[in-house]
Amino acid sequence: MTYIDNIVNKYREIIQLYLYGGDADKAMDLCQSFSEEVIEMDTSPEEIVSLHMELLDDMAIEDGALIKQSLDILQEVIISFGFTYRDYRSMMNKLKIHDKEMDVAASLQETMLKTEIPTFDTMEIGAISVPARKVSGDYFNIIDHNDGMLSFAIADVIGKGIPAAIAMSMIKFGMDSYGYSQLPSDSLRKLNRVVEKNVNQNMFVTMFYGLYDHNTDRFYYSSAGHEPALLYRHDTDEFEEIDAKGIVLGVKRHARYEQKEARLGPKDMIIVFTDGVTELRKHDDTFIELDYVKDMIKQVKDHHPQDIVQYIYESLMRVQNPHKKDDLTLFILKNNKN
């Protein structure tokens, strides 16, 4: 007996029990389990109506009163389809509302968080930030101090949607407001207060904050629980991992952030990224190795940083598992002095 034959026989037994078995309550109870089973099989209401009519013919039920009575069974089964359809419509309406919220958040990010990449004779900058969906949890900002100094920040908001977009807009406002005169450790301390006071308690932000003085080639940096950055030394063709101690933004009100510094030689590069790079899943579902990223950088180290980040992004997309995407941001600053 096939599965379909089993379904037909079950429905036949329900009709027989209701019309001739003298136990209408039990027949109605069986309708519930039958409905769940046929709905699980993705059966349409039209197919149930056809089944009902075919069984009436097969059972030679011609009496008008019995036919009318049998419709109680059909109605009970179809009611479950009605509940399912209403649930479906409710879900679709919620999804439409959610999509509208995502559109608002995406528009907010595009208009309020867009960052222009400045150009200089003494250094080159490249940046790429690609969301996994409509709204990104990643963010980067660049501030030209117009006095030979440049600040930048790369952040990863632990949270999505409109709340994440609002959190990033607050961070941008805070950074643009006092980032011109602050060292990285002080900037993170103040940004931490902004996040702690104004952002949802379940939303936190990791951030790498750098300040580069291209008059002296001094690079100052602090981190709020962000991925360690890389310092590429051109003369030795080697990488150094750079990091500083600091808790993520928004957790502890009076947090303090360690600040370190390094000197950039000619053609040296600072490479900062979010975990969309370091935790990228390949087609075989294994994580990418950082050495793989380093090798790609070495292959194109003499190119402009914008070409480098574009090359790395396209290379990563070729090996990435398309079903396990994450927001990805990559920032490179190169000392362009000879």
Side-chain angles (χ1 to χ4, degrees):
M1 181 183 294
T2 68
Y3 194 67
I4 297 299
D5 290 336
N6 186 46
I7 290 295
V8 171
N9 287 337
K10 282 184 179 181
Y11 194 58
R12 182 195 301 271
E13 291 171 3
I14 293 172
I15 293 176
Q16 288 176 331
L17 180 64
Y18 187 73
L19 296 181
Y20 309 117
D23 196 342
D25 290 339
K26 183 178 179 180
M28 288 297 178
D29 290 340
L30 290 174
C31 284
Q32 182 63 39
S33 59
F34 178 80
S35 298
E36 293 174 356
E37 189 171 354
V38 294
I39 288 172
E40 186 69 25
M41 293 174 59
D42 203 23
T43 307
S44 70
E46 293 84 356
E47 289 172 319
I48 297 299
V49 172
S50 296
L51 173 62
H52 188 90
M53 294 171 63
E54 289 171 5
L55 282 177
L56 290 181
D57 288 339
D58 188 61
M59 296 167 68
I61 299 175
E62 300 178 354
D63 182 85
L66 287 178
I67 292 174
K68 183 177 180 181
Q69 190 178 350
S70 76
L71 295 179
D72 294 339
I73 294 296
L74 179 61
Q75 178 178 308
E76 188 67 21
V77 173
I78 295 300
I79 283 174
S80 296
F81 281 88
F83 283 134
T84 303
Y85 179 73
R86 284 195 289 274
D87 292 341
Y88 168 77
R89 293 302 306 172
S90 175
M91 180 186 70
M92 291 303 297
N93 288 335
K94 289 178 181 178
L95 286 175
K96 287 180 181 178
I97 294 172
H98 177 73
D99 286 343
K100 288 180 180 178
E101 290 178 348
M102 291 300 99
D103 289 339
V104 170
S107 178
L108 179 65
Q109 284 190 326
E110 181 143 4
T111 56
M112 296 185 65
L113 303 179
K114 189 174 182 179
T115 299
E116 297 294 333
I117 299 179
T119 57
F120 306 91
D121 293 332
T122 55
M123 63 177 161
E124 295 173 339
I125 298 172
I128 189 168
S129 187
V130 181
R133 297 177 180 84
K134 284 186 178 181
V135 180
S136 176
D138 287 0
Y139 167 68
F140 75 92
N141 193 20
I142 302 171
I143 297 177
D144 180 8
H145 295 223
N146 296 311
D147 60 358
M149 302 183 77
L150 175 102
S151 291
F152 66 87
I154 286 81
D156 188 350
V157 180
I158 305 171
K160 303 294 181 185
I162 289 181
I166 292 174
M168 286 187 281
S169 66
M170 289 181 179
I171 292 170
K172 177 175 174 59
F173 176 78
M175 188 174 174
D176 290 346
S177 296
Y178 46 74
Y180 287 87
S181 59
Q182 298 291 329
L183 288 169
S185 58
D186 292 330
S187 294
L188 286 183
R189 180 172 55 83
K190 291 188 175 182
L191 288 173
N192 177 65
R193 294 298 302 275
V194 171
V195 175
E196 191 272 333
K197 289 174 62 177
N198 299 289
V199 177
N200 187 302
Q201 292 182 352
N202 296 321
M203 184 174 296
F204 312 111
V205 182
T206 72
M207 177 177 283
F208 186 95
Y209 200 113
L211 172 67
Y212 180 52
D213 183 344
H214 48 112
N215 295 313
T216 63
D217 295 328
R218 286 287 173 184
F219 176 63
Y220 307 87
Y221 60 95
S222 295
S223 176
H226 197 77
E227 297 283 322
L230 296 174
L231 170 54
Y232 173 74
R233 296 294 189 185
H234 189 270
D235 58 345
T236 62
D237 197 31
E238 297 293 335
F239 287 92
E240 299 174 14
E241 187 175 284
I242 57 176
D243 195 12
K245 295 179 181 178
I247 194 169
V248 298
L249 304 179
V251 173
K252 185 177 179 181
R253 175 172 296 185
H254 301 294
R256 294 291 182 269
Y257 296 90
E258 181 183 24
Q259 181 172 293
K260 295 183 179 180
E261 64 177 89
R263 185 180 182 281
L264 299 190
K267 307 301 180 182
D268 284 356
M269 291 187 289
I270 300 294
I271 302 105
V272 191
F273 34 77
T274 57
D275 59 10
V277 174
T278 55
E279 296 181 6
L280 182 140
R281 293 266 192 172
K282 297 188 293 184
H283 290 292
D284 61 3
D285 212 32
T286 60
F287 289 106
I288 197 168
E289 295 181 1
L290 189 56
D291 285 342
Y292 179 80
V293 179
K294 292 178 180 178
D295 288 341
M296 285 193 292
I297 294 173
K298 286 184 178 182
Q299 291 172 17
V300 290
K301 63 181 184 291
D302 295 323
H303 292 244
H304 191 283
Q306 190 59 48
D307 296 327
I308 297 176
V309 297
Q310 187 66 36
Y311 170 75
I312 294 173
Y313 169 71
E314 292 176 1
S315 299
L316 292 176
M317 289 305 99
R318 284 194 289 270
V319 301
Q320 183 182 43
N321 184 334
H323 302 295
K324 294 188 177 180
K325 289 185 177 181
D326 193 8
D327 303 324
L328 183 153
T329 298
L330 181 62
F331 175 94
I332 296 180
L333 183 150
K334 177 190 283 189
N335 179 0
N336 201 35
K337 294 179 181 177
N338 296 318

